[in-house]
Amino acid sequence: RAGRRFLFVSMSAAFHNSAVQSLPQGELQEIVKATRPTRAAVNLDHLETNLNAFYSHLTAHAANPKLLPIVKANGYGHGALPLAVQALNVTKNNENIVAGVAVATLEEAVMLRQQMESLNVSCPLLLLLGVLPKGSEGLIAKYQISPSICHAASLRRTIQASK
C-alpha cells in the first residue's frame, strides 16, 4: 500500500563567509545543491506505526499512558503541522494515544496553534522553553499554551495573565 508522503528538501545555507555571500543567488543555490543535498522522505504511516509501537511498549509499564510528541524546529524540518495532525489522530482501541504536542519556542507555539486552529484542530500545546521572556505571558494565555516554568516569578506572571 502506498503511504501518505510528503517530501522535505533542504539546500543548506551553511555558507557564511563573505566570498560565498557575494555570489549571485542562482550560483549559490547551484553550489549548495551540488555539495550539500539533503533529502528526507517522511512517511506519515510510519509515524503512526512508530507511535503505536512506542505506546505498546509503555503499556507494559503504565496503565493508559499518553504520548506527547515533540515537533520543535518545524518537526525537525519535516513540518510540525502535518506531523502534529497525524500524531493526534493515532488511536489504539478507539482511544487517542497522543495527549498533545510540544515545541521549543514561543514563536513555534504561536505559529503551530494558529495553523492548527485554521484546520479546527485542538490539543494541549506544551512550550518546552523554561525561561519565559517577561511580557510573553499574554501570548501564552491568548493561544492556550502550557508553559514549562522554571522560576517563581514566571509562574506568578503567567497566573496573573491567565485571569
Side-chain angles (χ1 to χ4, degrees):
R1 152 183 132 152
R4 293 164 290 178
R5 294 176 186 262
F6 64 95
L7 183 64
F8 168 73
V9 178
S10 168
M11 300 215 272
S12 176
F15 298 102
H16 295 291
N17 67 46
S18 60
V20 171
Q21 288 179 351
S22 65
L23 291 173
Q25 185 64 26
E27 191 174 336
L28 178 59
Q29 286 178 343
E30 287 301 313
I31 291 170
V32 171
K33 188 175 181 180
T35 60
R36 297 195 48 123
T38 302
R39 176 187 157 126
V42 177
N43 186 314
L44 294 176
D45 288 332
H46 290 176
L47 173 66
E48 184 173 344
T49 300
N50 291 342
L51 289 173
N52 270 312
F54 193 63
Y55 178 82
S56 293
H57 175 73
L58 289 176
T59 57
H61 305 284
N64 269 345
K66 296 291 182 183
L67 304 178
L68 188 79
I70 299 171
V71 295
K72 68 180 196 141
N74 194 27
Y76 295 98
H78 302 297
L81 183 62
L83 292 174
V85 170
Q86 178 71 15
L88 291 166
N89 288 311
V90 175
T91 61
K92 190 82 163 190
N93 301 324
N94 294 319
E95 251 187 74
N96 286 23
I97 64 171
V98 173
V101 295
V103 295
T105 68
L106 182 57
E107 294 84 2
E108 289 175 324
V110 169
M111 184 184 313
L112 185 57
R113 176 64 78 209
Q114 290 173 332
Q115 292 171 337
M116 291 171 71
E117 284 177 354
S118 73
L119 298 175
N120 293 319
V121 174
S122 178
C123 76
L125 183 54
L126 176 65
L127 173 59
L128 297 173
L129 176 70
V131 179
L132 300 175
K134 199 171 192 171
S136 65
E137 302 83 12
L139 285 173
I140 289 168
K142 177 181 178 181
Y143 290 101
Q144 298 176 339
I145 297 165
S146 299
S148 300
I149 297 181
C150 298
H151 299 288
S154 291
L155 177 60
R156 285 191 292 275
R157 289 192 314 265
T158 302
I159 291 170
Q160 186 60 37
S162 67
K163 290 181 178 181

